[in-house]
Amino acid sequence: MQNLLSDVVVVDLTRALAGPHAAMMLGDLGARVIKVEVPERGDDSRGWGPPFVEGESTYYLSANRNKESVTADLKSDQGKDFLTKLVRKADVLIENFRPGVLDRLGFSTGQLHELNPGLVILSITGFGHDGPDGGRAGYDQIAQGEGGLMSITGAVEPTKVGVPIADLLAGMYGAYGALAALHERSITGKGRVVRTSLLASTIGVHAFHGTKWTVAHELPERVGNHHAQIAPYGMYRTADDSIQVAVGSEGQWRTFAPIVGLDPEDERFAVNAQRVAHRDQLTAAIEAAFAAESADVWLERLADKGIPAGKVRDFQQVYKWEQTLSQGLLIDVDHPTLGRIQLPGPPLRFDDQPYAGARETNLPPPRLGEHNESVRAWLDAE
């Protein structure tokens, strides 16, 4: 299977997570991604830890597979000359500087398109490229708070999502926009600028919580491990552990209720709106029934009746789970320092390929400047 984006060259000027994640997504699809880093120090995330293994940050490893690394001081004439050559051969450039930084370096979007009219430029910021807060630096947890996500997460106090979700979503939305712009370029021959931000990506996933406010003018509230608008749908204690149950339709409710000794026609619970209104009573009744048996017994019983339910796994359990392994969600790479290591892989499979992503051979996250010579030789060869 030929790599889907094997003819695409991506210049990755980013650091931390949102931008590197976007570039990695394109690399997973087969693009050649050239990561340009600050000499000696490199991407900020190379220093984020612990843990470090043989000096390598596991944080950095998570967002930089399928890339090459070169170092260049973009404030120097030599560095600017290098980037100019790279831009002329590139299809996509990704940057997550604060607004105005690239302009001051002599690489505004206008100047980049003068060098390469077909270049797709993906620009990721914290709060947007304009507006009263457009110049603010953006970090994930700040964006989660400012973008409302923390106000609906947690049980008592606002709580951030356990992964840097604003960063990751900005990277995903950015890659999605870049692919659309590449498609347009195949028709028009012209590149364009694609912009997103941590704030935009956070608001972009408000989903039904957003329309609860914009349409019904009701503020969403935190409901912990339960669904805000469906019941029963959440985490429930059993005799030995907690399990998650999702009763997503009235038909499922009529099947589920007798399993836990409830009358499906009880006026408090007969329809979803009533079940949500009486959630505390419903939860207490379900957990009273669940207390009689272990989690495994209940999961088997619910599965037999077609009721969606599942465990709450830790990462060790997830990565050893046969279902995870069957989906090709772990990839093996040969790292120049660490040797053979496993990484969480791309979440896509194509056709009948047994591995994740669109590459037959995945590249390990590169060491700082590992490809200085090979990339510069490639640029000078043409």
Side-chain angles (χ1 to χ4, degrees):
M1 175 176 164
Q2 185 173 356
N3 293 339
L4 297 180
L5 298 181
S6 59
D7 60 339
V8 173
V9 175
V10 178
V11 177
D12 178 7
L13 299 182
T14 68
R15 65 270 184 232
L17 186 55
H21 190 76
M24 184 175 69
M25 289 180 66
L26 300 180
D28 288 343
L29 295 175
R32 181 179 187 181
V33 179
I34 299 171
K35 183 178 180 71
V36 181
E37 302 188 67
V38 177
E40 300 181 7
R41 187 179 75 247
D43 188 322
D44 294 340
S45 69
R46 289 183 183 272
W48 289 354
F52 298 96
V53 181
E54 299 293 331
E56 297 285 346
S57 161
T58 58
Y59 195 114
Y60 167 80
L61 295 176
S62 75
N64 289 285
R65 63 176 178 260
N66 292 320
K67 300 181 185 182
E68 302 166 64
S69 171
V70 296
T71 56
D73 179 2
L74 299 184
K75 296 179 181 179
S76 70
D77 291 341
Q78 186 178 19
K80 291 178 181 180
D81 180 62
F82 169 73
L83 182 57
T84 295
K85 291 179 180 178
L86 203 50
V87 165
R88 285 179 171 143
K89 297 189 70 169
D91 300 285
V92 179
L93 180 143
I94 307 177
E95 63 91 9
N96 63 349
F97 294 106
R98 290 175 66 175
V101 171
L102 269 186
D103 296 25
R104 292 192 292 273
L105 291 172
F107 293 99
S108 66
T109 55
Q111 290 167 311
L112 289 170
H113 278 148
E114 286 180 9
L115 292 171
N116 183 348
L119 185 68
V120 170
I121 303 168
L122 170 58
S123 183
I124 302 174
T125 58
F127 292 90
H129 293 74
D130 48 23
D133 285 325
R136 289 176 64 184
Y139 281 87
D140 175 85
Q141 187 161 340
I142 307 301
Q144 286 196 43
E146 294 274 29
L149 197 58
M150 289 175 64
S151 75
I152 57 170
T153 306
V156 179
E157 65 178 12
T159 305
K160 70 179 182 67
V161 178
V163 297
I165 195 69
D167 277 327
L168 295 170
L169 287 168
M172 293 169 65
Y173 278 126
Y176 157 75
L179 289 174
L182 281 173
H183 173 71
E184 180 192 46
R185 191 191 68 171
S186 71
I187 300 170
T188 66
K190 295 181 179 181
R192 70 161 60 240
V193 181
V194 179
R195 293 189 170 101
T196 191
S197 68
L198 275 62
L199 176 64
S201 66
T202 301
I203 294 174
V205 294
H206 280 179
F208 55 87
H209 291 289
T211 51
K212 183 173 185 177
W213 169 252
T214 63
V215 178
H217 304 296
E218 296 180 16
L219 278 175
E221 297 177 349
R222 290 183 295 281
V223 290
N225 288 316
H226 291 271
H227 196 291
Q229 291 173 250
I230 306 174
Y233 190 126
M235 190 170 75
Y236 302 89
R237 292 185 295 271
T238 71
D240 64 347
D241 204 352
S242 293
I243 63 173
Q244 307 217 70
V245 180
V247 177
S249 70
E250 297 303 332
Q252 288 179 344
W253 165 248
R254 286 189 288 274
T255 300
F256 173 78
I259 299 174
V260 292
L262 292 174
D263 176 4
E265 302 303 325
D266 184 318
E267 63 179 12
R268 298 171 299 169
F269 310 137
V271 297
N272 181 68
Q274 286 297 98
R275 294 193 294 275
V276 170
H278 297 91
R279 184 197 313 278
D280 290 347
Q281 293 173 271
L282 179 59
T283 297
I286 291 171
E287 292 192 332
F290 278 1
E293 303 283 359
S294 70
D296 286 342
V297 168
W298 281 110
L299 287 171
E300 182 176 355
R301 190 172 295 170
L302 294 169
D304 287 344
K305 296 295 186 179
I307 301 299
K311 300 179 179 180
V312 180
R313 299 174 187 266
D314 64 25
F315 276 41
Q316 181 181 35
Q317 293 168 325
V318 169
Y319 288 125
K320 288 186 175 181
W321 189 18
E322 186 175 339
Q323 186 62 23
T324 299
L325 300 176
S326 75
Q327 300 306 298
L329 294 173
L330 284 169
I331 59 173
D332 295 312
V333 296
D334 292 312
H335 191 275
T337 302
L338 303 178
R340 192 76 165 173
I341 60 173
Q342 279 193 326
L343 299 173
L348 295 173
R349 292 171 69 183
F350 294 88
D351 295 326
D352 297 325
Q353 299 302 328
Y355 45 81
R359 306 179 71 111
E360 292 189 58
T361 302
N362 287 286
L363 304 177
R367 292 176 298 177
L368 179 61
E370 180 179 345
H371 302 92
N372 278 343
E373 293 184 8
S374 60
V375 170
R376 284 178 167 85
W378 168 66
L379 288 175
D380 292 339
E382 298 182 16

